[in-house]
């Protein structure tokens, strides 16, 4: 069973759940921490932000980071990113992020999240798709530079 399964998003469809501005900030903070941990190659921090089920799947932080390096290496090469929006798709919460790598190529990352008791948001998985020739609408402001 693959951890990295495609998530179909319908940007024109009305989301069945609206998120408060605080929830959006908390979700963005979880994803931001995850992306920065990838770029820093900080396996412990990246692993700490995973949902418990994803942690059990990988078992150890170094195994998780090796998997990222093999399956979606672009995440380790992120130079800038911008949040595009969060929505509920079925029973999944998905945060879309526009990623720009060191070659200035743009990618759409879709982070699937779950909310833990107490309100903490954790990453369940992520898929990455190239966005050749597509214009993305940035919904939450300026992009964030990393390098």
């Amino acid at each position: 069973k693959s951890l990295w399964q495609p998530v179909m998003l319908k940007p024109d469809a009305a989301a069945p759940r609206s998120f408060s501005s605080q929830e959006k900030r908390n979700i963005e903070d979880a994803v931001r921490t995850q992306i920065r941990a990838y770029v820093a190659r900080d396996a412990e921090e990246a692993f700490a932000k995973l949902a418990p089920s994803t942690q059990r799947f990988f078992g150890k932080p170094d195994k998780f980071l090796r998997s990222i390096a093999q399956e979606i290496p672009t995440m380790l090469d992120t130079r800038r990113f911008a949040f595009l929006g969060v929505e509920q798709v079925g029973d999944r919460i998905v945060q879309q992020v526009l990623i720009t790598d060191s070659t200035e190529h743009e990618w759409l990352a879709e982070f699937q999240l779950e909310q833990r008791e107490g309100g903490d948001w954790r990453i369940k998985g992520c898929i990455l798709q190239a966005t050749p020739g597509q214009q993305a609408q940035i919904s939450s402001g300026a992009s964030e530079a990393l390098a």
Side-chain angles (χ1 to χ4, degrees):
K1 181 176 171 182
S2 174
L3 175 64
W4 310 109
Q5 297 180 10
V7 177
M8 299 303 293
L9 297 181
K10 296 178 183 171
D12 297 329
R17 173 180 172 183
S18 61
F19 295 89
S20 71
S21 56
Q22 184 62 50
E23 283 179 306
K24 289 177 185 178
R25 275 192 301 277
N26 292 343
I27 289 168
E28 288 178 1
D29 285 346
V31 172
R32 180 182 294 108
T33 299
Q34 189 75 351
I35 293 170
R36 289 181 175 166
Y38 290 153
V39 171
R41 311 298 196 273
D42 185 342
E44 296 289 332
E45 181 69 23
F47 194 78
K49 276 305 195 185
L50 296 178
S53 60
T54 307
Q55 288 177 338
R56 283 190 298 277
F57 179 84
F58 286 103
K60 295 183 178 184
D62 59 329
K63 183 178 178 186
F64 171 66
L65 197 59
R66 278 195 310 272
S67 176
I68 294 298
Q70 291 171 355
E71 299 215 15
I72 50 175
T74 298
M75 294 304 292
L76 304 177
D77 189 37
T78 300
R79 294 298 178 254
R80 288 187 312 279
F81 63 96
F83 294 102
L84 301 178
V86 62
E87 65 183 338
Q88 182 171 346
V89 180
D91 61 348
R92 293 183 285 222
I93 307 299
V94 178
Q95 172 68 61
Q96 293 184 325
V97 181
L98 182 66
I99 302 278
T100 306
D101 66 20
S102 63
T103 66
E104 294 298 316
H105 191 90
E106 292 183 337
W107 304 82
L108 176 64
E110 297 174 345
F111 287 85
Q112 184 180 339
L113 296 104
E114 74 176 27
Q115 190 171 26
R116 308 267 300 145
E117 289 182 32
D120 187 32
W121 287 92
R122 299 291 185 94
I123 311 295
K124 288 185 72 169
C126 179
I127 62 166
L128 193 67
Q129 303 171 33
T131 60
Q134 295 182 19
Q135 294 287 330
Q137 303 251 344
I138 299 175
S139 65
S140 62
S143 65
E144 299 184 30
L146 289 172

